[in-house]
Amino acid sequence: MLINYGLEFFEEDNQDMMALIGYVIDKSEEVLGYYQLPYLHARMGDVEFWASTNRDSEEKLLIKDFNSHSSGPIGWNVIYTGIDITPEQDSKFKKTLMVENKEKKGLLPITILNYDILPGLLKGDEFSVQVIAQPLQISYYATEEEYLRAQQKSSKGEKWAIAVGSLIAANFVVNHEESSYVPGKKYDNDDVVMFTATVTHLYHGKFQMGDTKDNTFIRCFANTQYGEMEFVHSIEQIPKNQQKNIKIGSIISGTCIISGDVALYEYTNGIVYDKEHTLKLLRYTLVKGDAQRLRSVLSETATYKSINIGSPQLVGPDEIIDKINSVHVNSTKEFHAFFAHITQSNENMKYPVGTRCIVLARGDKKNYDSIVFVEMNDYGVISSIELSRDSGYEFRLDANDND
């Protein structure tokens, strides 16, 4: 999305692009994710770059992905709907998720550039994200009447326009209509959002490289049903006959990609090591698999045992990770996991009343399969995972999970 920052000239020459990436890497800070692969983050004026990394067969660190973003002031608290539209090539480090706000005023895709620093999101989870809109196409109209006049008529002579203040995932809605949707199919344009909004503020966007700082793009703030949103674009993206309309009070309309950064608040420096985050990570892993992300919170002598099920005790991260991944690969039923507390524990039971735990279900959400007990230190490093089906335990699901 370099064009949005007036930096598309870097893409005209491969050597210039490599020089930009090299400069970003040299000036970057590392933000660690659960795969123990750092995101490289560099701020250059108002422009930010996020590079995800991977390792080759010789364990050398490689750049996998390179993304532009902007360090704007717009932060949203949103709820994950459980709909993941991430392209397969991005699924490890960057995710595009459908979210809604607390008032459920719409469904929007956000591409989270640094997803691996979160323990993992399941349906209904709330999270904070700093967002910007990067227009693919944007027009400025002096008035709402001018905007309405510019809309094309349908074959029946009718005009359809998006209400001012709207952010609409129209492509996603059309692509996923019940009559035409192919289950599991990924659509390239699911993440495209249509917008129409009133401009509230305008600023120059600055790009700095070394001692050189230039105004290379426009930071346009506009009111939407989600609150104020920042749209970042270059002057070249605006038709010449509309550039006179770049002013407060104008109507902007077009299509955009919403880019999100979750490395804020407690996650500013990456993953958080404590009991609560490790529990969230384990819950996510028990549902989704991909247990490799647990390695950073498993002690070298950690044990895994299915009590009352007759399975042997496993020791060490390798055995535990292989076990969890194997269960997911071979299961034909969907997993569900809920936070809970023990409310009754018979005499001589290992875990007393009040113990925090995770309750597993397979298939139906109410088909409770086992209780997962976790022992860890204050930094969230796991020493023991035990699965129990003992009827001597009774539990109560946490309020947020008891739906």
Side-chain angles (χ1 to χ4, degrees):
M1 308 291 285
L2 290 179
I3 189 173
N4 291 74
Y5 303 92
L7 304 177
E8 68 276 13
F9 60 88
F10 280 109
E11 297 177 298
E12 295 172 1
D13 185 284
N14 189 57
Q15 287 187 338
D16 288 344
M17 191 66 199
M18 290 302 102
L20 173 63
I21 294 173
Y23 184 89
V24 167
I25 294 170
D26 184 54
K27 301 298 181 181
S28 67
E29 297 178 350
E30 293 188 5
V31 180
L32 198 63
Y34 280 103
Y35 284 114
Q36 295 297 286
L37 294 166
Y39 292 97
L40 305 179
H41 171 246
R43 182 171 294 171
M44 301 170 68
D46 295 318
V47 186
E48 289 184 84
F49 293 101
W50 285 92
S52 60
T53 62
N54 210 341
R55 295 191 185 278
D56 63 11
S57 58
E58 298 178 350
E59 289 297 301
K60 292 180 180 177
L61 208 59
L62 305 175
I63 299 299
K64 181 186 182 298
D65 202 10
F66 189 72
N67 297 281
S68 56
H69 189 70
S70 180
S71 52
I74 306 301
W76 284 355
N77 291 321
V78 294
I79 298 171
Y80 176 40
T81 64
I83 301 172
D84 184 341
I85 58 172
T86 308
E88 183 59 35
Q89 67 269 20
D90 290 341
S91 60
K92 199 170 183 180
F93 305 102
K94 178 172 69 175
K95 283 190 180 291
T96 304
L97 306 178
M98 300 300 295
V99 305
E100 59 189 5
N101 61 12
K102 290 182 179 180
E103 292 75 30
K104 301 187 185 299
K105 291 183 178 178
L107 191 68
L108 285 178
I110 297 180
T111 297
I112 301 172
L113 304 179
N114 39 26
Y115 179 83
D116 189 44
I117 68 177
L118 298 177
L121 297 171
L122 297 177
K123 182 179 179 180
D125 285 348
E126 183 179 340
F127 67 102
S128 299
V129 57
Q130 180 258 321
V131 293
I132 57 163
Q134 299 179 129
L136 302 170
Q137 179 273 324
I138 180 171
S139 296
Y140 276 75
Y141 302 99
T143 63
E144 185 173 351
E145 290 73 22
E146 182 179 314
Y147 157 67
L148 292 172
R149 286 197 300 270
Q151 305 312 300
Q152 294 183 347
K153 291 183 178 181
S154 70
S155 58
K156 296 181 180 180
E158 299 170 322
K159 281 191 176 184
W160 297 92
I162 299 174
V164 175
S166 296
L167 293 169
I168 301 176
N171 289 333
F172 175 84
V173 173
V174 171
N175 292 340
H176 293 261
E177 284 185 351
E178 189 174 350
S179 60
S180 58
Y181 175 61
V182 178
K185 181 175 179 179
K186 299 287 187 180
Y187 294 86
D188 292 339
N189 62 354
D190 268 352
D191 59 346
V192 176
V193 173
M194 301 178 70
F195 66 88
T196 301
T198 303
V199 178
T200 56
H201 300 88
L202 288 162
Y203 302 96
H204 288 297
K206 300 182 185 298
F207 172 70
Q208 182 172 359
M209 195 169 188
D211 295 328
T212 303
K213 182 185 291 187
D214 295 303
N215 297 328
T216 61
F217 66 103
I218 296 168
R219 301 177 62 188
C220 171
F221 292 79
N223 281 329
T224 76
Q225 84 268 32
Y226 272 77
E228 198 168 43
M229 170 61 96
E230 179 180 358
F231 296 81
V232 296
H233 64 85
S234 63
I235 190 71
E236 287 77 15
Q237 289 179 279
I238 310 302
K240 289 189 181 300
N241 65 337
Q242 294 182 357
Q243 292 180 6
K244 63 181 182 296
N245 297 327
I246 302 177
K247 57 187 178 181
I248 294 173
S250 292
I251 304 296
I252 56 171
S253 185
T255 58
C256 67
I257 303 294
I258 299 178
S259 175
D261 170 15
V262 292
L264 63 162
Y265 306 129
E266 60 186 330
Y267 300 110
T268 299
N269 298 315
I271 56 180
V272 177
Y273 290 102
D274 63 21
K275 290 182 177 181
E276 185 63 24
H277 285 84
T278 293
L279 273 179
K280 289 180 178 179
L281 173 64
L282 181 59
R283 181 190 65 144
Y284 177 84
T285 305
L286 292 171
V287 172
K288 296 294 186 180
D290 195 11
Q292 186 63 34
R293 299 179 78 231
L294 281 176
R295 186 176 293 276
S296 62
V297 296
L298 288 169
S299 75
E300 289 301 313
T301 56
T303 59
Y304 176 104
K305 185 173 179 59
S306 297
I307 305 172
N308 317 117
I309 303 174
S311 301
Q313 177 171 283
L314 305 176
V315 180
D318 289 340
E319 291 188 2
I320 295 172
I321 289 168
D322 288 346
K323 173 64 175 180
I324 295 175
N325 285 338
S326 175
V327 168
H328 274 268
V329 168
N330 295 305
S331 177
T332 58
K333 294 183 179 180
E334 184 179 4
F335 287 87
H336 307 277
F338 311 95
F339 291 128
H341 287 81
I342 296 300
T343 57
Q344 180 173 312
S345 177
N346 289 350
E347 190 177 355
N348 298 323
M349 302 292 281
K350 182 175 181 180
Y351 297 97
V353 170
T355 301
R356 189 98 185 275
C357 58
I358 299 171
V359 174
L360 274 180
R362 295 199 196 196
D364 186 272
K365 285 186 175 183
K366 302 298 184 182
N367 183 27
Y368 302 129
D369 178 83
S370 53
I371 303 174
V372 183
F373 296 102
V374 188
E375 296 181 13
M376 62 184 110
N377 65 19
D378 290 339
Y379 296 101
V381 176
I382 296 173
S383 58
S384 170
I385 301 173
E386 293 188 2
L387 278 67
S388 175
R389 291 178 178 168
D390 198 312
S391 60
Y393 290 116
E394 293 185 9
F395 59 84
R396 182 185 297 276
L397 300 184
D398 288 3
N400 292 338
D401 282 340
N402 193 3
D403 56 7

